[in-house]
Amino acid sequence: MAQTRTAIRYAKAVLDLSKDQNAAEVVHADMKSIANAVAASTDLKDMLLSAVVPSATKKSALLAVFTGLDKLSINLIDTLIANKRLDLLGTVAEQYNELFNEGEGKQVATVTTAVALTEELKAKVLAKVKELTGKEAEILSVVDHSILGGFILRVGDMQYDASIANKLNQLKKEFTLN
């Protein structure tokens, strides 16, 4: 929880600075790619958390992975290194994206499926989310084979779980209670 609060502070500072310099969209694109990469790569997470890997090596690795970063994004990395908080980079990127989307009146709908979503299904999900919430949404597709089938839709604090794994768990509970 304390790390999230710290990450929010960094994210707010970068967002304010990027708005002042009319670079909020560019930094948003950087933060999206950083957040996605950190979430997807355990190696990247491990490197950021490692106390053994020197900060200079971490920075050069990040700049090699994320080519073409805006100077504000690079400054964020430098600041996190200087404050010995580089392990928060993924969380800061996520928080930045949430704050940016909130300011733009957008929201992120996370759809977890057992297989990758097609473009047609993404369009249907977007339409349904807009119908339910009245806001534009951005789809974040997560593939999790453990749900077996169906989907889990999360928008803000709302979650709709129509996964096969959830239905099987409900059946299991019914049988164990009786």
Side-chain angles (χ1 to χ4, degrees), residues 108-118 121-126 128-129 137-144 147 150-155 160:
V108 176
T110 306
V111 181
T112 306
T113 54
V115 294
L117 279 180
T118 63
L121 279 173
K122 279 186 183 180
K124 286 181 181 179
V125 170
L126 281 173
K128 191 63 173 176
V129 169
E138 184 178 309
I139 294 287
L140 174 62
S141 180
V142 177
V143 176
D144 181 0
I147 70 168
F151 65 94
I152 301 170
L153 175 64
R154 176 175 273 271
V155 182
Y160 179 72

Side-chain angles (χ1 to χ4, degrees), residues 45-71:
K45 271 186 240 174
D46 291 345
M47 190 239 352
L48 291 173
L49 292 170
S50 175
V52 177
V53 179
S55 297
T57 306
K58 290 179 183 181
K59 181 180 179 181
S60 58
L62 288 170
L63 294 179
V65 171
F66 304 109
T67 57
L69 286 179
D70 186 76
K71 65 179 177 170

Side-chain angles (χ1 to χ4, degrees), residues 13-163:
V14 173
L15 182 60
D16 289 343
L17 197 55
S18 65
K19 283 181 179 178
D20 289 345
Q21 297 182 12
N22 294 322
E25 284 283 341
V26 175
V27 175
H28 177 57
D30 290 349
M31 293 299 128
K32 277 176 35 178
S33 69
I34 290 171
N36 291 339
V38 171
S41 173
T42 54
D43 290 339
L44 185 57
K45 271 186 240 174
D46 291 345
M47 190 239 352
L48 291 173
L49 292 170
S50 175
V52 177
V53 179
S55 297
T57 306
K58 290 179 183 181
K59 181 180 179 181
S60 58
L62 288 170
L63 294 179
V65 171
F66 304 109
T67 57
L69 286 179
D70 186 76
K71 65 179 177 170
L72 289 173
S73 300
I74 295 170
N75 287 343
L76 170 64
I77 292 170
D78 289 336
T79 303
L80 291 172
I81 288 171
N83 295 336
K84 299 186 184 338
R85 303 296 270 181
L86 193 58
D87 58 316
L88 292 177
L89 181 62
T91 311
V92 172
E94 289 171 10
Q95 294 300 323
Y96 179 94
N97 293 332
E98 283 183 29
L99 292 168
F100 179 84
N101 286 331
E102 194 177 290
E104 296 287 312
K106 293 181 183 176
Q107 56 193 348
V108 176
T110 306
V111 181
T112 306
T113 54
V115 294
L117 279 180
T118 63
E119 290 302 318
E120 182 181 327
L121 279 173
K122 279 186 183 180
K124 286 181 181 179
V125 170
L126 281 173
K128 191 63 173 176
V129 169
K130 185 168 184 175
E131 177 186 319
L132 292 171
T133 64
K135 291 182 178 179
E136 290 293 322
E138 184 178 309
I139 294 287
L140 174 62
S141 180
V142 177
V143 176
D144 181 0
H145 300 291
S146 70
I147 70 168
L148 304 176
F151 65 94
I152 301 170
L153 175 64
R154 176 175 273 271
V155 182
D157 355 355
M158 297 185 319
Q159 179 171 313
Y160 179 72
D161 191 343
S163 66

